[in-house]
Amino acid sequence: LQSLLSQDVADLAEGERRAALMLTPQGKVEVLLGVTRVGDDAVLDTDAGWGEHLLGLLQRYCIRTKVETAVEAHGAEPDADEDAARIAAGVPRLGLDLDDSVIPQEADLDVDAVSFTKGCFVGQELVCRIDSRGHVNRFLRRLEFAGGEAPSPGAVILAGDREVGTITSAAAGHALGFVRREVEPGAEVTVLGLPATVHHRR
């Protein structure tokens, strides 16, 4: 795990959990997960329905390494109320707000899911290059709709008459969406004619 994941997990204390990413070799998000040390085991948790995908990715790299793996299902897909609370809190979900087109810095995942001092990991080159001398062109932002509307995922975000982003998930007056970097938090935008205010994701 230390050589695969974006997070430094070598010095995890018993019961400690850290956020981490499994990235593509090109540095895009495959899975957002948590790693907890339980004795000599590492317990990985991720969004419902993504356990098998994560296991397949890990097994791809298990070459000459003796390791036992298993997937256990805990909980179910979030219901409407849980999903609305997630969106209002600015928490991204795999398959909706995160996929293999997303660079960690675009969703602020580098803040607590990436170690820039741990050494090599899958997809490191792009992530570290952006951190040291680059920038991304869009950010995952939280949008707030004053009237409580919920535009559908895929709806276009407009600043004036200019297309600046796309909604990725929405519910009950809040949405998440990728917005161009020049549209700063506090800006007013419209989605399907509905006015909204752009906020930092968290």
Side-chain angles (χ1 to χ4, degrees):
L1 291 177
Q2 181 70 359
S3 64
L4 297 179
L5 301 180
S6 64
Q7 183 61 274
D8 189 345
V9 297
D11 62 346
L12 274 174
E14 175 69 19
E16 181 184 2
R17 180 188 183 276
R18 292 179 187 171
L21 294 164
M22 187 74 208
L23 300 173
T24 69
Q26 295 75 35
K28 307 294 181 65
V29 175
E30 281 272 22
V31 180
L32 173 62
L33 64 142
V35 184
T36 304
R37 180 178 177 181
V38 180
D40 293 330
D41 295 334
V43 177
L44 313 183
D45 63 88
T46 188
D47 287 346
W50 286 83
E52 292 289 350
H53 181 65
L54 174 58
L55 178 60
L57 293 171
L58 296 174
Q59 289 178 334
R60 183 187 305 169
Y61 293 98
C62 286
I63 302 172
R64 298 195 210 109
T65 302
K66 186 177 180 180
V67 60
E68 296 180 4
T69 57
V71 175
E72 296 182 12
H74 292 276
E77 293 285 332
D79 61 24
D81 290 339
E82 291 170 331
D83 203 46
R86 172 189 71 80
I87 295 167
V91 178
R93 183 177 171 194
L94 289 166
L96 296 177
D97 314 295
L98 302 175
D99 58 29
D100 60 7
S101 71
V102 176
I103 299 169
Q105 283 95 334
E106 292 177 330
D108 294 320
L109 299 176
D110 57 309
V111 175
D112 53 15
V114 177
S115 169
F116 292 98
T117 60
K118 67 175 289 268
C120 295
F121 57 88
V122 175
Q124 178 192 33
E125 183 179 356
L126 174 66
V127 175
C128 291
R129 185 170 69 243
I130 290 173
D131 181 66
S132 63
R133 61 179 188 272
H135 67 268
V136 293
N137 293 321
R138 61 176 189 167
F139 291 101
L140 185 62
R141 300 296 195 197
R142 182 172 57 84
L143 281 71
E144 184 175 3
F145 295 83
E149 298 89 352
S152 301
V156 172
I157 302 169
L158 298 175
D161 59 358
R162 187 164 60 98
E163 182 176 330
V164 294
T166 306
I167 297 295
T168 54
S169 56
H174 296 275
L176 291 174
F178 283 98
V179 181
R180 290 192 56 82
R181 62 178 286 114
E182 61 265 26
V183 181
E184 298 183 352
E188 298 296 324
V189 296
T190 59
V191 183
L192 299 177
L194 304 172
T197 303
V198 176
H199 299 278
H200 286 289
R201 178 175 69 79
R202 51 181 177 179

